Amino acid sequence: MAELAQVLAALQAKDELPDLDALRDHFAPRQPAMPAVVVELPATAVYDELLESA
């Protein structure tokens, strides 16, 4: 928020209007990148072994 205030104050000092699209692009929240997750399913025989050992 402080950075936006500084940018707006600098523009005001120069008697310039802000470019709203540029400000929106610069200060808009970024969508976080989702990590790639690889899930390997075990063979069903593994589950049978777990049930037999319980």
Side-chain angles (χ1 to χ4, degrees), residues 19-54:
D19 179 349
L20 295 180
D21 290 331
L23 290 173
R24 187 178 299 114
D25 289 342
H26 182 76
F27 291 104
R30 304 286 182 246
Q31 195 73 315
M34 297 298 289
V37 177
V38 178
V39 178
E40 293 184 29
L41 299 175
T44 53
V46 173
Y47 294 107
D48 292 336
E49 290 176 24
L50 285 173
L51 291 174
E52 289 172 5
S53 65

